[in-house]
Amino acid sequence: MAAAYKATIKKSGTSTAFTDEAMSVVSGNTYKITASTKNVWDTSVVPTFYEDAVEIDSSDIASINYVFGKVTFATPKTGVITVDGSYMPLAAIAGANSIGLNMSQSIHNVTDFDGADNGNNRKICGQMDVTLSVERIDPLDDAIYDVLVAGNPIFIEINEDRSQTSVHRGWFLVESANKALNMEALINETISMSLAGQNDGADVKTFGYGAP
Amino acid sequence: MPAGYSGKVQVSADDISYSDLPLNSPSLNDALNMLDLTDLSNSSAGNKTRGYGLRDWSISGEGNYTGANAAISILRTAFNNRTAVYVKFLPDGSTGKKGQVLVENINISLPVDDKTTFSVSLQGTGAVTDIS
């Protein structure tokens, strides 16, 4: 059980290109970029992977996890793996003091006569959705308001205890950034966001959870 | 009559190894759909006639959140993979009900001046069996 004051919440900055970055094995055919500051990949830039400086064909790539900078190859590799791509640098959201992360998925009833199973309902999972609310002491930097106006997705990382073992990451759209002015208190901003989209087939592009 | 602190809610991915879910106020809702069978042939006395339809059940609760907790990890994995998990609802810690559930919702709250908490909503799918 973690005291919430240990949590951190960060947002993305400007996409930055990188070349010849080292990758290290996670397990089996899965590798991750070694530089932890570059493990959030820009989903608009398809990474290029190399084994001993020879480009690996896209047909040999089973899946790419853009959210945690990982790749899974279809076949085992024995050489040195490197990657070219573009990453999203992360920086703390100034003044944040409360986070609410809601993950949900629709549940569909698929009960039919054949599967009525002695009178019990049968269900399957449908679409997943994630919403995020952040409250912060407004530093008057308009950092979130500018994102709202621009209308582009923003990448958010929530690390519940700074351990880097339990991290939520995803692309979100800012729905609202409301400010409250109380002459006897601080200026507060309440930000609400929604998931920007779903993952793309085997690739993890939008939302993920785990150890970076 | 057991006290509430005796209870457990346990989850498992394989129905073999179970882990305790760190809930502090779980609830089980087990319901049978009521079918209104009233018609002119059976309503002369002015009473409703009903029959049982499909059974539906769910579990919800709140608790202290730690990402490393084994039971929470099982639910997170099931949520990400859209798969069902096994759950045991044991009011006295050893007897109760068991079945498969889908993870409908996980909500995590992190206020800077308090502990990290979560709430979870699980929808039953298929049969519920008694554990005695």
Side-chain angles (χ1 to χ4, degrees):
Chain A
M1 177 184 65
Y5 73 81
K6 296 182 179 180
T8 63
I9 181 167
K10 298 179 181 179
K11 67 174 181 64
S12 55
T14 303
S15 176
T16 306
F18 62 82
T19 58
D20 199 31
E21 283 288 334
M23 299 198 79
S24 45
V25 65
V26 177
S27 65
N29 297 343
T30 300
Y31 291 75
K32 68 175 182 179
I33 190 168
T34 304
S36 60
T37 57
K38 300 178 182 178
N39 62 13
V40 178
W41 292 347
D42 185 343
T43 58
S44 67
V45 177
V46 179
T48 304
F49 302 94
Y50 304 87
E51 181 180 16
D52 294 333
V54 176
E55 183 174 339
I56 298 172
D57 190 84
S58 61
S59 63
D60 196 13
I61 297 173
S63 65
I64 300 173
N65 186 326
Y66 289 79
V67 173
F68 286 102
K70 297 179 182 177
V71 62
T72 299
F73 299 110
T75 60
K77 299 288 175 281
T78 57
V80 174
I81 305 299
T82 56
V83 58
D84 297 344
S86 190
Y87 76 99
M88 310 301 297
L90 301 179
I93 294 179
N97 56 16
S98 180
I99 304 165
L101 178 66
N102 188 63
M103 297 160 284
S104 63
Q105 52 194 349
S106 52
I107 304 295
H108 301 300
N109 192 317
V110 294
T111 309
D112 58 18
F113 294 119
D114 289 340
D117 195 24
N118 295 324
N120 298 293
N121 277 292
R122 284 221 171 265
K123 300 164 188 169
I124 60 172
C125 292
Q127 282 189 327
M128 183 185 77
D129 200 5
V130 182
T131 58
L132 174 65
S133 65
V134 180
E135 295 183 11
R136 67 175 188 153
I137 302 167
D138 194 347
L140 301 181
D141 59 5
D142 281 339
I144 303 302
Y145 176 77
D146 290 343
V147 174
L148 174 69
V149 171
N152 295 319
I154 184 173
F155 190 88
I156 301 292
E157 173 191 274
I158 301 164
N159 187 334
E160 62 195 56
D161 59 2
R162 304 179 193 235
S163 68
Q164 289 295 304
T165 61
S166 181
V167 174
H168 295 85
R169 286 179 168 180
W171 286 95
F172 291 86
L173 292 171
V174 177
E175 287 189 85
S176 64
N178 299 323
K179 297 179 187 288
L181 283 70
N182 184 335
M183 69 175 183
E184 297 180 341
L186 300 172
I187 300 174
N188 288 313
E189 185 176 48
T190 302
I191 306 158
S192 63
M193 308 183 206
S194 294
L195 197 66
Q198 298 297 325
N199 291 323
D200 182 10
D203 291 344
V204 178
K205 285 186 172 180
T206 303
F207 186 76
Y209 167 79
Chain B
M1 178 182 64
Y5 67 77
S6 305
K8 287 183 183 294
V9 177
Q10 299 176 328
V11 294
S12 171
D14 56 11
D15 197 21
I16 298 173
S17 174
Y18 278 83
S19 301
D20 291 344
L21 200 55
L23 299 176
N24 51 34
S25 55
S27 62
L28 166 69
N29 186 61
D30 194 355
L32 287 166
N33 187 29
M34 291 288 111
L35 305 176
D36 188 343
L37 303 176
T38 309
D39 60 31
L40 295 176
S41 70
N42 59 30
S43 61
S44 60
N47 302 302
K48 285 275 191 183
T49 299
R50 293 190 175 92
Y52 285 121
L54 290 171
R55 185 178 186 179
D56 203 2
W57 62 289
S58 62
I59 292 174
S60 62
E62 301 176 353
N64 301 321
Y65 180 89
T66 303
N69 179 273
I72 291 177
S73 295
I74 290 172
L75 293 185
R76 289 307 318 272
T77 300
F79 179 87
N80 289 341
N81 296 336
R82 292 178 167 80
T83 54
V85 292
Y86 297 88
V87 66
K88 291 182 180 178
F89 190 90
L90 309 171
D92 62 358
S94 58
T95 65
K97 297 186 186 297
K98 185 183 86 170
Q100 284 190 290
V101 293
L102 301 175
V103 182
E104 180 179 31
N105 178 273
I106 302 173
N107 187 291
I108 304 171
S109 179
L110 303 92
V112 72
D113 56 354
D114 207 335
K115 60 187 176 181
T116 305
T117 60
F118 79 108
S119 64
V120 65
S121 170
L122 309 173
Q123 287 284 334
T125 179
V128 178
T129 58
D130 289 332
I131 302 174
S132 55

